[in-house]
Structures are given as C-alpha cells and as structure tokens.
Amino acid sequence: MYDFNSYDLIIDARSPREFADDHIPGAVNLPVVDNAEFAEVGTLHRTDPLAAYQLGARYSLLNISRHIETHISHVEARSRILVYCFRGGKRSKVWQDVLETIGYRVERVKGGWKAYRRWVNEQLVTAPANFRYIVVSGPTGCGKTRLLSALHESGAQVLDLEGLASHRGSIIGAVPGKPQPTQKLFDSRLLERLSQFDPSRPVWVESESKKIGQVQLPEALLVKMREGQVLAVNAPMAQRVQLLREDYQHFEEDPQVLIDRLRNLRPLIGGEEFEKWEALAAARQVPELFERLMRYHYDPTYRRSILRNYPGIDSSPQIPLQDLSPAGLLPVARELQERFERNVD
C-alpha cells in the first residue's frame, strides 16, 4: 500500500455516502458524482449503458470544474496527488487525466478503495503485535479515560479506543451529538493511530471488551492487550459519582432518558432493583442513582468481565486515584510513566 503521508493531497473521487462509510485518513472528498447522480447513473446503466456513460461524463465534467475552482486552484504546482475511487476505475481515472493535463504529479490507487480495505484488514491482523501494551483497568467512573488523557499530555503513547469509537463503552456510553463511525472507518482510524506509534515504546490503553458500542475491536489487538502489563486503578465512590455527573451531564438534566437506556437491563437486575432506579430518577436524585448503578450493576459486571479477560488483575499493581480532575491526574500520569516505561525491554 502507499505511504499516504508522502502526498500533498489525497482525493477520494467516490460519492459522499461512500466517503462517509470509510476513506483513507486525510483524504478529501471531491466526488465525480454526488449521491443522487451516482444512483441515477447506476439505474440508467441497467437499461442503456451508453446513455449512462454520457450522463456520467456530463456530471463529472461539471463537478470536477467546480472542484478545480474550490480546491485544486490552491494546490501548488509541485504537489504530489493521490486519487482513488471504489475499484480504481473510471471515476479516479477521469480525475487523474484532468490533473495530469493541468500538470500535476498524480498517482491512482491500483484497485481503489477495495484494495485499501483489504490492506487494512490484513494489517489489523499483524500490526497490533508490534507493540507492548500497558492496560489501565478499573470500574466505571474511576477516571481511566481521564488518566489516558493525562498520559497523552505528559508525552506517553496513548491508544484511546473510546475516542476513536466515539463511545464510552457501555449501554449508556453514546456521546450526544457524536455518532459512531462505521466499522470500516473505525478500522481505518485505528490502523492510522497504530502507524503513528514507536514500537520501542509502550502503548497505554484502557481495558475494553470486544465491542465499544457498535464497533468491534480486532481480535489481534485484544490478544496483545491481554498479554500486556495491567494496572488496576480505583477511586473513592464520591469522586466516581462526581465524574459521572460531569461526563454524563445530559442524564442529570434528563434522568428519564437514562432510565430508558437502562430498561433492557431490567430482566438482568430484577424488577425490584430497577424500580429503585426509576424512583431515584423520578425524584431527580441523580447522584444517588449513579452510585446505585455502580454498586449494584456496573461494579459486579465489570468485576466478572475483568477476571475473565485479565485473571491476574488482583496481583497487578494497584493505582489509587484520589483526585480525578485533569490537574490532579497529570502528576500521577508522569509518575506512572517514570515507573512503567523506564524498564521497557
């Protein structure tokens, strides 16, 4: 596959819908035909291929003309450009022909996005094994994600899987206003992030299950994480409740939405316990609701999961966190780096 960082511009010639599903990181979507035009040409092609090609050519020339004015006119003459479409066929070729006529140095991805996608799948089988992982584990609300952020700020190599997935990793983990990427786009982002790491240094990551929301982690990554150094973090319940109030403020403003998200758990935790959750939500006693959720559902569930995936967790280094604010976690992150990165093989 190509060294994508070596190009000044990467053009995705596919429709916006295809681009949203997945694309090469850093690519700009300059479609030859938009969603509606793509569907129209495809429908016409079934009955009259010649007319379909004529229609596609008209749309292509109009759209490329607009893209030249809005994007290409600002690209320097010595720039290297990479262009691709679905299979490396007509849509990317028309872009290549136009750009080469202008005078740019242009390459076209052989096999297009389909070839890129195969390469991503192949890489995610092998790339995770290139790194040593330090896995931060701990129950809900103990500050794992914030600790990773502090580690990143202090210069550590951090793989923020929940950030890549746009999800906090539980039944209530959807981030308001931030839909999750497709599985394909998540894979692309994950591989891009791995490619930025130095294999001689450890990668810090949060313990995760197989799925984060609707996206699934590569099995090769899960295997290597479970072989890594595990750190068990925890925090006082009061700090954990405060963290949930800050990170899930939308539920504090509308606790009924939280109850609706949790409704599928009723058969698991029992009607009596669920009714207590409902009563706390109705009384808008959200801090008490958060604490009860952690004590009676999330903590026992997490305990079972962590013992299954990391059976040696109780003998792992225990990291108590007393202050889950960014300012409080930064010195902890620096101390952890000094303690666990200095003896890397």
Side-chain angles (χ1 to χ4, degrees):
M1 191 46 66
Y2 303 77
D3 177 9
F4 301 123
N5 293 323
S6 68
Y7 295 92
D8 301 292
L9 175 65
I10 302 176
I11 296 175
D12 187 318
R14 300 173 303 153
S15 66
R17 184 178 294 111
E18 293 170 288
F19 181 82
D21 186 56
D22 180 39
H23 54 268
I24 294 173
V28 177
N29 188 210
L30 301 180
V32 169
V33 290
D34 64 24
N35 294 332
E37 293 163 350
F38 183 68
E40 183 183 1
V41 172
T43 300
L44 181 59
H45 190 271
R46 298 190 189 103
T47 57
D48 192 341
L50 178 60
Y53 285 130
Q54 291 174 341
L55 180 62
R58 293 202 304 272
Y59 284 147
S60 298
L61 293 173
L62 288 170
N63 290 328
I64 287 177
S65 175
R66 186 177 69 256
H67 295 322
I68 289 173
E69 180 180 2
T70 58
H71 288 83
I72 305 304
S73 61
H74 309 297
V75 177
E76 295 182 358
R78 299 177 63 85
S79 299
R80 291 186 67 214
I81 300 176
L82 182 67
V83 62
Y84 68 96
C85 60
F86 186 68
R87 290 192 180 89
K90 291 181 174 60
R91 287 183 287 177
S92 55
K93 187 176 188 308
V94 69
W95 253 125
Q96 182 180 30
D97 290 344
V98 169
L99 292 170
E100 287 181 342
T101 299
I102 294 172
Y104 290 111
R105 296 177 295 163
V106 186
E107 293 179 57
R108 183 158 51 118
V109 176
K110 184 178 181 180
W113 173 85
K114 290 281 285 184
Y116 163 76
R117 178 63 188 167
R118 287 194 299 271
W119 174 75
V120 169
N121 288 336
E122 292 165 359
Q123 290 297 303
L124 288 179
V125 173
T126 58
N130 295 332
F131 306 99
R132 168 182 173 264
Y133 297 89
I134 301 178
V135 182
V136 178
S137 71
T140 299
C142 70
K144 300 185 294 292
T145 301
R146 291 188 180 185
L147 180 58
L148 287 184
S149 179
L151 284 160
H152 175 72
E153 185 175 346
S154 65
Q157 294 190 138
V158 171
L159 180 58
D160 182 2
L161 293 169
E162 293 183 2
L164 294 175
S166 298
H167 199 280
R168 295 191 176 106
S170 73
I171 195 171
I172 62 172
V175 181
K178 291 185 67 177
Q180 284 198 267
T182 65
Q183 181 67 54
K184 297 181 183 70
L185 186 54
F186 172 78
D187 292 344
S188 286
R189 291 174 176 175
L190 173 58
L191 182 58
E192 179 193 28
R193 188 72 182 114
L194 289 173
S195 71
Q196 296 168 351
F197 292 145
D198 179 354
S200 68
R201 299 177 57 206
V203 172
W204 296 75
V205 64
E206 182 177 337
S207 59
E208 300 286 356
S209 58
K210 292 182 179 180
K211 294 185 70 176
I212 303 177
Q214 296 302 309
V215 301
Q216 188 161 332
L217 301 183
E219 183 64 25
L221 176 61
L222 289 169
V223 169
K224 291 303 295 183
M225 286 169 57
R226 290 164 187 167
E227 295 174 356
Q229 167 71 68
V230 183
L231 308 182
V233 304
N234 212 329
M237 180 58 74
Q239 283 282 311
R240 295 170 62 193
V241 170
Q242 181 59 34
L243 183 144
L244 262 62
R245 296 185 70 186
E246 294 170 1
D247 288 0
Y248 294 88
Q249 187 176 359
H250 51 293
F251 290 140
E252 184 144 12
E253 295 170 355
D254 191 351
Q256 186 56 48
V257 173
L258 174 58
I259 292 298
D260 292 341
R261 294 275 183 88
L262 296 169
R263 199 166 300 281
N264 289 339
L265 296 178
R266 185 183 181 114
L268 180 65
I269 55 94
E272 182 179 350
E273 180 61 29
F274 192 81
E275 287 168 6
K276 292 178 181 178
W277 297 357
E278 289 181 309
L280 289 171
R284 303 189 70 84
Q285 294 178 286
V286 179
E288 293 81 357
L289 175 57
F290 281 147
E291 180 171 346
R292 193 163 190 95
L293 287 174
M294 287 189 283
R295 289 193 186 279
Y296 294 97
H297 173 63
Y298 281 106
D299 286 3
T301 300
Y302 185 85
R303 176 68 177 169
R304 290 192 294 271
S305 174
I306 201 69
L307 285 174
R308 185 168 57 250
N309 295 315
Y310 298 92
I313 185 67
D314 291 337
S315 59
S316 298
Q318 306 295 304
I319 312 297
L321 303 176
Q322 300 300 324
D323 181 357
L324 301 184
S325 70
L329 288 173
L330 190 57
V332 176
R334 290 169 177 159
E335 190 276 331
L336 290 176
Q337 268 193 284
E338 174 66 20
R339 180 177 171 187
F340 292 101
E341 290 198 21
R342 62 184 175 184
N343 294 321
V344 177
D345 292 337

